[in-house]
């Protein structure tokens, strides 16, 4: 039976049981049951489910792996981690993360004023805060306020001008000061679609000349004791471990050199993020060539080696992994609205007494197709259809003939698929010709923007019917009016879905590993907004649906675009009131309806069941 690569990307988080995808934790509820319960309460359209136990699992994994490696190598430096807020700033995620990370002293990383203020409000007391990215005087000032509040905060300097600003601001502020980190520009670069943050030409970091200058500036201004950390970040989703090893070696040497220059409080190396997630559903398209265990062992081993060689202290290790922590906690569930070829049924044929010869032949193919000739007949029917379409353009056949040809060709394709059902290779061979378009109630631009922007794939699979063989090779279409809103599949890596009559039965797809970056990068194309979300807490006996946040209403969406919604309402009101086509009672009715539509979200609701 088809498992949609769950063994590759699933990390044991989900299992298939009785034909349904279940959350592999405690009570092991089926996702489809959770969704049905939400839909029974009136929540329609795409639903984003958050699973806090998966956040907990990733936090435990990271701390567990590094602490194990430290023990194994008898490593004396400490291990610290912060979560980079840019990966997902939604409260449904961040508040859970902070709560679950408390015992580990798990901190937060901020890259902007807004994120820093968020960190200052929600970070666990005494847990570290690191601040990266470009900084103006105001942001640095907020960093000082954080230190004055008692936060353990490190401002990572990306350029000498930022250091000069700090030197100025120190004179104006009170006693407590933030720690200072220096972002180093390594000559080792990462690889992969996101690897623009490392390397000698990267957007960030100090060159070796600037590092020397920075240490001198710190010394002159009596701030050297605030300098505690060096930082680098090779880019996100590092798919090979090799560049990281090189970078660690380089950073380790920079660390010991800077300490030799007198930076005695420099105790930590921060390796940024980049720990990769396995997104692939296909064996031949794996996204990374290492495990977390290997990653942690390499980091500890290399840093220990460098310190030994230079007879220096083993540095504390800081990491800022975001994608790895956040990706698996969120699953988007969306109903299939339509299969494009479903309208082609035998009952819709309008055969005449005298049909064009090609139509009669198509009909014969349809009636006499069997397993042994299925491939041949399918190809013949496609040729016939092409010919009919040409004849139509030339005016030799009419619209009824054309419709008959289209129906018959689709019926032949369907028959071929069911006849070839057990011959996977034959099915694969025809999958380009008979691919079915599944229209799904979601926006790809809102919920998987990295697919649109970077062709990053995400695992997609049906949440039920998994004890039946899926026969339709599929491509997935979203409900935006944009031809980019499609996830297509190739002959080599097809997605097979079930042939469901969605007029009679719901069919739900799950989109997995969308918890990192997708939510906040999501675009409001066609004004489809962040979907309704819910947090699912699971225990041995049961599961609880909590913190339901309904997708924004159309009025709120318009307000976000800075429309004056009172003006919008007034205009609509006025136009209905002055309409001469309906009477007063009808006007009242129409106004009531409009009010309901404006206060609901814009996803599709009533197609299908
Ligand atoms: C984006 C970013 C991260 C997080 O990277 P992931 O690949 O999500 O782990 C960490 N540190 C810095 C400086 C970043 O810019």
């Amino acid at each position: 039976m088809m498992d949609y690569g769950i063994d590759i990307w699933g990390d044991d988080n989900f299992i298939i049981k009785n034909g349904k995808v279940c959350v592999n934790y405690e009570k092991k509820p089926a996702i489809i049951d959770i969704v049905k319960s939400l839909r029974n309460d009136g929540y329609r359209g795409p639903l984003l489910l958050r699973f806090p136990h998966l956040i907990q699992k990733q936090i435990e994994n990271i701390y567990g792996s590094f602490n194990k490696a430290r023990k194994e190598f008898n490593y004396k430096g400490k291990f610290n981690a912060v979560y980079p807020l840019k990966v997902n700033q939604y409260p449904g995620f961040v508040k859970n993360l902070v709560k679950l990370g408390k015992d580990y002293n798990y901190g937060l990383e901020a890259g902007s004023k807004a994120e820093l203020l968020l960190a200052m409000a929600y970070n666990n007391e005494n847990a570290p805060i690191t601040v990266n990215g470009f900084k103006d005087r105001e942001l640095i000032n907020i960093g000082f306020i954080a230190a004055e509040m008692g936060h353990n905060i490190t401002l990572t300097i990306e350029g000498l001008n930022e250091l000069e600003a700090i030197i100025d601001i120190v004179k104006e502020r009170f006693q407590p000061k933030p720690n200072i980190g220096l972002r180093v520009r390594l000559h080792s670069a990462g690889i992969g679609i996101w690897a623009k943050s490392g390397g000698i030409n990267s957007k960030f970091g100090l060159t070796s000349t600037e590092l020397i200058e920075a240490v001198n500036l710190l010394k002159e201004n009596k701030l050297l004791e605030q300098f505690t950390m060096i930082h680098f970040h090779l880019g996100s989703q590092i798919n090979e471990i090799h560049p990281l090893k090189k970078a660690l070696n380089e950073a380790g040497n920079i660390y010991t050199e800077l300490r030799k220059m007198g930076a005695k409080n420099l105790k930590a190396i921060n390796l940024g993020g980049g720990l990769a997630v396995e997104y692939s559903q296909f064996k031949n398209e794996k996204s990374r060539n290492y495990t977390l265990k290997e990653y942690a062992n390499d980091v500890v081993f290399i840093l220990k080696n460098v310190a030994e060689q230079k007879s220096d202290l083993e540095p504390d290790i800081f990491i800022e992994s975001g994608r790895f922590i956040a990706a698996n906690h969120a699953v988007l569930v969306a109903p299939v609205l339509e299969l494009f070829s479903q309208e082609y049924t035998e009952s819709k044929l309008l055969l005449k007494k005298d049909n064009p010869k090609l139509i009669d032949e198509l009909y014969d193919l349809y009636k006499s197709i069997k397993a042994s000739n299925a491939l041949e007949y399918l190809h013949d029917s496609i040729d016939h259809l092409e010919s009919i379409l040409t004849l139509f353009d030339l005016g030799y056949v009419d619209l009824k003939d054309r419709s008959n040809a289209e129906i018959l060709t689709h019926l032949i394709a369907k028959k071929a698929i069911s006849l070839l059902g057990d011959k996977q290779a034959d099915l694969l061979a025809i999958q380009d010709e008979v691919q079915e378009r599944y229209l799904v109630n979601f926006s790809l631009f809102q919920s998987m923007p990295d697919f649109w922007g970077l062709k990053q794939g995400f695992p997609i699979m049906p949440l039920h019917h998994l004890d039946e063989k899926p026969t339709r090779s599929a491509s997935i279409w979203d409900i935006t009016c944009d031809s980019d809103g499609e996830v297509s599949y190739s002959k080599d890596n097809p997605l097979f879905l079930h042939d469901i009559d969605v007029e009679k039965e719901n069919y739900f797809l799950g989109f997995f590993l969308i918890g990192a970056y997708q939510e906040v990068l999501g675009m409001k194309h066609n004004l489809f907004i962040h979907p309704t979300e819910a947090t699912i807490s699971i225990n041995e006996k049961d599961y609880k649906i909590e913190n339901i946040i309904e997708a924004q209403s159309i009025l709120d969406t318009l307000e976000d675009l800075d429309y004056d919604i009172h003006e919008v309402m007034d205009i609509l009101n006025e136009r209905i009131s002055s309409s001469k086509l309906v009477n007063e009672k009808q006007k009242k009715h129409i106004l009531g309806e409009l009010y309901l539509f404006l206060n609901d979200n814009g996803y599709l609701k009533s197609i299908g069941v």
Side-chain angles (χ1 to χ4, degrees):
M1 200 78 344
M2 195 137 207
D3 66 1
Y4 298 91
I6 206 167
D7 288 345
I8 305 169
W9 58 266
D11 198 25
D12 267 344
N13 295 330
F14 303 98
I15 47 165
I16 298 172
K17 217 174 58 186
N18 303 328
K20 298 172 176 178
V21 182
C22 299
V23 187
N24 190 19
Y25 184 68
E26 303 271 16
K27 169 81 179 159
K28 302 195 198 313
I31 298 179
I32 188 85
D33 295 342
I34 300 172
V35 166
K36 281 187 179 154
S37 149
L38 275 160
R39 285 172 65 91
N40 283 341
D41 288 340
Y43 300 102
R44 291 292 161 110
L47 295 169
L48 187 139
L49 307 180
R50 300 189 197 279
F51 296 102
H53 72 276
L54 292 178
I55 309 176
Q56 181 169 7
K57 173 182 167 181
Q58 295 307 78
I59 298 175
E60 280 170 6
N61 266 342
I62 288 227
Y63 280 89
S65 302
F66 273 93
N67 286 332
K68 199 156 165 243
R70 284 172 60 235
K71 218 164 160 189
E72 203 165 298
F73 294 104
N74 190 23
Y75 191 83
K76 288 170 219 72
K78 297 194 193 75
F79 174 74
N80 290 285
V82 289
Y83 163 74
L85 282 164
K86 77 161 188 276
V87 178
N88 191 328
Q89 303 95 334
Y90 277 77
F93 176 74
V94 172
K95 287 194 194 179
N96 275 312
L97 172 115
V98 168
K99 196 165 77 194
L100 296 163
K102 191 169 193 312
D103 291 344
Y104 293 93
N105 213 30
Y106 192 29
L108 295 172
E109 185 264 1
S112 65
K113 287 174 205 172
E115 288 179 356
L116 177 53
L117 287 162
L118 199 57
M120 286 158 66
Y122 285 99
N123 197 42
N124 285 312
E125 237 173 287
N126 302 319
I129 295 179
T130 62
V131 186
N132 300 310
F134 295 110
K135 299 168 199 68
D136 60 4
R137 295 180 62 95
E138 286 70 25
L139 195 152
I140 292 170
N141 209 74
I142 300 173
F144 273 80
I145 294 173
E148 288 154 9
M149 282 165 73
H151 279 299
N152 165 13
I153 179 171
T154 307
L155 299 178
T156 305
I157 302 310
E158 312 270 352
L160 286 178
N161 58 333
E162 291 178 6
L163 187 54
E164 280 152 13
I166 289 184
I167 289 166
D168 269 358
I169 291 168
V170 164
K171 295 174 192 142
E172 300 158 10
R173 298 298 313 183
F174 312 107
Q175 192 53 38
K177 299 180 194 60
N179 291 323
I180 295 172
L182 298 180
R183 182 155 180 172
V184 298
R185 185 173 297 224
L186 302 178
H187 70 76
S188 324
I191 26 182
I193 43 180
W194 283 285
K196 293 188 193 84
S197 313
I200 211 90
N201 294 317
S202 80
K203 191 166 148 194
F204 304 103
L206 304 175
T207 63
S208 40
T209 318
E210 287 168 328
L211 282 174
I212 296 171
E213 236 177 300
V215 170
N216 288 335
L217 265 175
L218 286 164
K219 263 187 206 160
E220 279 162 32
N221 291 279
K222 304 204 164 33
L223 283 172
L224 194 56
E225 64 187 40
Q226 297 305 119
F227 173 37
T228 55
M229 179 188 290
I230 58 169
H231 175 265
F232 69 91
H233 172 64
L234 291 183
S236 207
Q237 185 74 355
I238 301 174
N239 40 27
E240 291 181 26
I241 192 89
H242 179 68
L244 178 77
K245 291 198 202 176
K246 271 180 69 182
L248 280 166
N249 209 38
E250 189 180 346
N253 278 295
I254 293 175
Y255 160 84
T256 57
E257 289 295 317
L258 292 174
R259 282 176 51 86
K260 264 198 252 162
M261 289 177 66
K264 287 294 171 237
N265 280 348
L266 171 58
K267 296 263 165 62
I269 296 185
N270 182 336
L271 19 147
L275 188 52
V277 165
E278 183 53 73
Y279 288 105
S280 181
Q281 279 187 280
F282 307 105
K283 277 197 194 67
N284 54 359
E285 265 185 3
K286 291 247 184 99
S287 346
R288 56 167 199 206
N289 76 346
Y290 59 92
T291 60
L292 171 59
K293 183 174 170 225
E294 191 180 344
Y295 181 91
N297 284 351
D298 281 344
V299 170
V300 171
F301 178 76
I302 291 170
L303 292 181
K304 186 179 172 86
N305 245 351
V306 181
E308 255 168 23
Q309 272 169 22
K310 298 277 179 102
S311 320
D312 203 342
L313 279 184
E314 291 163 7
D316 294 344
I317 297 164
F318 259 81
I319 69 165
E320 298 176 333
S321 273
R323 182 185 300 279
F324 185 83
I325 294 285
N328 70 12
H329 94 281
V331 179
L332 184 83
V333 178
V336 172
L337 298 169
E338 207 180 303
L339 275 63
F340 275 60
S341 74
Q342 210 139 52
E343 67 208 73
Y344 297 110
T345 57
E346 197 170 340
S347 64
K348 293 200 177 148
L349 281 173
L350 297 166
L351 294 173
K352 306 168 183 165
K353 232 169 78 207
D354 276 323
N355 297 295
K357 195 163 157 274
L358 282 170
I359 300 286
D360 284 336
E361 281 179 29
L362 269 175
Y363 192 75
D364 285 344
L365 291 174
Y366 172 50
K367 286 298 167 190
S368 54
I369 187 171
K370 49 182 188 271
S372 57
N373 61 24
L375 274 185
E376 186 193 333
Y377 280 23
L378 175 71
H379 287 132
D380 287 351
S381 72
I382 291 168
D383 287 346
H384 282 25
L385 177 63
E386 295 267 316
S387 306
I388 290 278
L389 291 174
T390 308
L391 290 174
F392 179 79
D393 289 347
L394 295 171
Y396 290 114
V397 299
D398 64 16
L399 195 58
K400 275 187 188 163
D401 298 325
R402 176 177 164 170
S403 158
N404 288 335
E406 286 172 359
I407 294 171
L408 284 166
T409 309
H410 276 97
L411 291 175
I412 290 166
K414 271 199 190 177
K415 253 193 170 171
I417 290 167
S418 71
L419 289 168
L420 295 174
D422 292 326
K423 295 195 204 157
Q424 205 65 23
D426 285 346
L427 261 188
L428 275 178
I430 56 167
Q431 71 110 7
D432 275 353
E433 286 100 327
V434 299
Q435 206 169 61
E436 176 66 293
R437 289 177 284 176
Y438 283 69
L439 180 70
V440 183
N441 196 2
F442 86 119
S443 157
L444 190 154
F445 299 87
Q446 172 61 236
S447 296
M448 298 196 306
D450 277 341
F451 181 82
W452 173 73
L454 299 160
K455 290 282 161 268
Q456 170 63 53
F458 293 87
I460 302 175
M461 71 181 289
L463 297 177
H464 47 160
H465 288 284
L466 296 167
D467 42 10
E468 296 156 35
K469 194 178 181 79
T471 52
R472 301 305 315 253
S473 145
S475 74
I476 290 176
W477 289 55
D478 77 358
I479 52 168
T480 66
C481 307
D482 194 311
S483 54
D484 272 354
E486 181 195 1
V487 186
S488 56
Y489 289 85
S490 71
K491 230 185 177 94
D492 297 329
N493 292 328
L495 181 78
F496 279 97
L497 295 178
H498 298 89
D499 198 0
I500 301 280
D501 183 352
V502 293
E503 307 257 302
K504 299 206 179 98
E505 186 192 0
N506 279 315
Y507 186 53
F508 291 96
L509 299 185
F511 299 77
F512 292 84
L513 299 175
I514 56 148
Y517 295 102
Q518 305 317 298
E519 287 185 61
V520 87
L521 289 178
M523 290 161 267
K524 298 187 209 168
H525 202 12
N526 274 148
L527 299 186
F528 291 116
I529 33 72
H530 188 264
T532 295
E533 66 163 84
T535 300
I536 316 299
S537 303
I538 304 170
N539 59 32
E540 276 163 60
K541 293 199 197 73
D542 212 353
Y543 65 86
K544 270 201 304 245
I545 300 179
E546 300 168 314
N547 295 327
I548 300 174
I549 303 174
E550 219 178 329
Q552 225 179 21
S553 72
I554 292 172
L555 273 183
D556 288 346
T557 311
L558 294 179
E559 192 167 32
D560 275 0
L561 298 185
D562 286 332
Y563 280 96
D564 175 346
I565 53 171
H566 299 291
E567 184 183 274
V568 173
M569 299 272 279
D570 285 349
I571 297 173
L572 289 171
N573 247 323
E574 166 61 29
R575 292 197 162 163
I576 289 167
S577 304
S578 60
S579 166
K580 298 195 172 55
L581 305 171
V582 280
N583 66 31
E584 286 312 307
K585 196 167 159 228
Q586 290 166 332
K587 280 177 189 173
K588 237 175 140 177
H589 177 82
I590 293 170
L591 277 173
E593 277 182 324
L594 259 192
Y595 182 80
L596 287 179
F597 289 134
L598 285 164
N599 282 290
D600 203 344
N601 71 64
Y603 283 104
L604 304 189
K605 288 189 114 173
S606 54
I607 300 190
V609 273

